[in-house]
Amino acid sequence: MNTRASGLILTAVTVQRRTNHITVFIRGRGNIRFHPHVVSPQLLAVDFPNGSSSLSFQTLQVGHRLLEEVRIEQYPQKLRLAFSLTARVRYAIKTTETFLAVRFAA
């Protein structure tokens, strides 16, 4: 019997581009609990405990002046989205019942 709490099952990652900012929308099913942390000035990681991905890709090339790419990394007890930034930028995270939005601005 698996007693692990269920986590987010990632179903979509989309990007909304603007000149001075960019927003990444993360959609999925299940518990949207997350833990963001700055790994370095140019790398933000957002971990989803007990999460998994149903996507067929592991890297989303963005090519924006603020955000190079988003990597989807599966670990034994978490799903991680790693945001490779082009410089030190500000970020804000907004959650709703259906998605998590990560906005990056200069």
Side-chain angles (χ1 to χ4, degrees), residues 28 43 65 75 81:
L43 183 62
R65 69 180 194 88
Y75 293 92
L81 270 65

Side-chain angles (χ1 to χ4, degrees), residues 54-65:
S54 67
L55 299 178
S56 61
F57 60 90
Q58 293 179 326
T59 303
L60 176 63
Q61 294 295 330
V62 178
H64 186 271
R65 69 180 194 88

Side-chain angles (χ1 to χ4, degrees), residues 1-102:
M1 181 173 148
N2 185 355
T3 58
R4 230 171 57 157
S6 64
L8 176 77
I9 300 171
L10 183 66
T11 59
V13 178
T14 57
V15 175
Q16 182 181 65
R17 301 165 199 268
R18 298 290 185 258
T19 302
N20 294 322
H21 67 272
I22 186 166
T23 305
V24 179
F25 294 93
I26 301 160
R27 298 180 190 279
R29 296 185 306 273
N31 188 342
I32 205 162
R33 193 168 51 108
F34 64 96
H35 304 289
H37 53 101
V38 176
V39 177
S40 74
Q42 293 181 294
L43 183 62
L44 171 70
V46 178
D47 293 340
F48 298 88
N50 302 316
S52 62
S53 175
S54 67
L55 299 178
S56 61
F57 60 90
Q58 293 179 326
T59 303
L60 176 63
Q61 294 295 330
V62 178
H64 186 271
R65 69 180 194 88
L66 300 175
L67 178 63
E68 291 177 9
E69 67 182 14
V70 180
R71 291 187 315 279
I72 301 165
E73 303 170 347
Q74 185 68 60
Y75 293 92
Q77 301 204 1
K78 67 184 171 191
L79 177 70
R80 171 175 285 173
L81 270 65
F83 299 88
S84 295
L85 306 166
T86 59
R88 185 179 297 237
V89 300
R90 294 174 295 151
Y91 76 91
I93 298 177
K94 175 184 175 184
T95 59
T96 71
E97 290 183 15
T98 58
F99 67 85
L100 180 132
V102 184

